[in-house]
Amino acid sequence: MMNIISIIIIILGIFLIMKNRPKKRVENDFGDSKFEQKCINCHYLMKSIRQGGGPVRMPLTPIERQELLDNRFEFIEKSNLPWELGCYKNIWSREATPDNYKELYKNIVEKKRKNKCDFVKYEQGKNFEDIGKEDSVK
């Protein structure tokens, strides 16, 4: 009987801790109804690396987007490769180095892009080529 009461108390304690923990304020949720037209919410946010003849350009994963939103660049630091972050539509591109992480964060997470570029709301699992003009937000 004592073990059951202990387990119930532990479960209730965990529930109360989880329920009352401060929620992180996230303005951008990669496509929820409250999103703003910023690079962090745009499908065309990309990472690229020069290999061989030209750059290899890839969409950021949801985990990488969350890292950027949290002002962390671990996915770049762990790779030990000379990454660039930028726009697939060639609006901007910057080398990602510890010296310019602050500038990149401002450009990706804070700078509003409404009516300034071909903003397309991020959709997980789609490639750059999968996005058509009909999806553009103007």
Side-chain angles (χ1 to χ4, degrees):
M1 186 65 164
M2 185 61 131
N3 287 339
I4 293 174
I5 293 173
S6 298
I7 291 171
I8 291 172
I9 290 171
I10 290 170
I11 291 171
L12 284 173
I14 291 170
F15 173 76
L16 289 173
I17 289 170
M18 296 301 289
K19 184 180 176 207
N20 293 323
R21 71 182 173 162
K23 291 197 168 59
K24 184 176 178 181
R25 183 174 173 266
V26 177
E27 287 179 18
N28 308 312
D29 200 359
F30 316 131
D32 89 358
S33 61
K34 298 177 283 188
F35 82 98
E36 291 186 84
Q37 289 187 24
K38 298 178 181 181
C39 291
I40 193 69
N41 293 320
C42 183
H43 193 78
Y44 292 127
L45 179 60
M46 67 161 196
K47 59 185 178 183
S48 68
I49 185 168
R50 294 209 177 273
Q51 290 184 330
V56 177
R57 303 180 333 161
M58 296 165 271
L60 273 74
T61 67
I63 292 170
E64 292 167 341
R65 286 174 182 269
Q66 187 62 50
E67 277 191 28
L68 292 177
L69 190 60
D70 294 339
N71 203 7
R72 295 182 298 131
F73 293 80
E74 293 171 13
F75 69 97
I76 292 170
E77 292 172 349
K78 287 179 184 176
S79 73
N80 291 320
L81 296 171
W83 288 104
E84 286 186 3
L85 295 174
C87 176
Y88 181 76
K89 293 291 195 167
N90 298 315
I91 303 297
W92 67 275
S93 179
R94 305 272 187 298
E95 185 178 2
T97 65
D99 293 340
N100 70 353
Y101 287 166
K102 186 175 182 178
E103 173 193 346
L104 283 168
Y105 177 83
K106 286 180 181 179
N107 200 43
I108 294 168
V109 176
E110 296 176 351
K111 188 172 185 176
K112 294 180 183 178
R113 303 261 180 198
K114 188 167 183 149
N115 300 320
K116 295 189 175 159
C117 59
D118 257 350
F119 179 91
V120 174
K121 187 170 128 180
Y122 173 69
E123 291 185 53
Q124 183 177 342
K126 289 193 174 185
N127 292 322
F128 296 128
E129 296 79 20
D130 293 337
I131 302 299
K133 288 283 185 190
E134 66 277 2
D135 296 326
S136 292
V137 176
K138 298 289 182 194

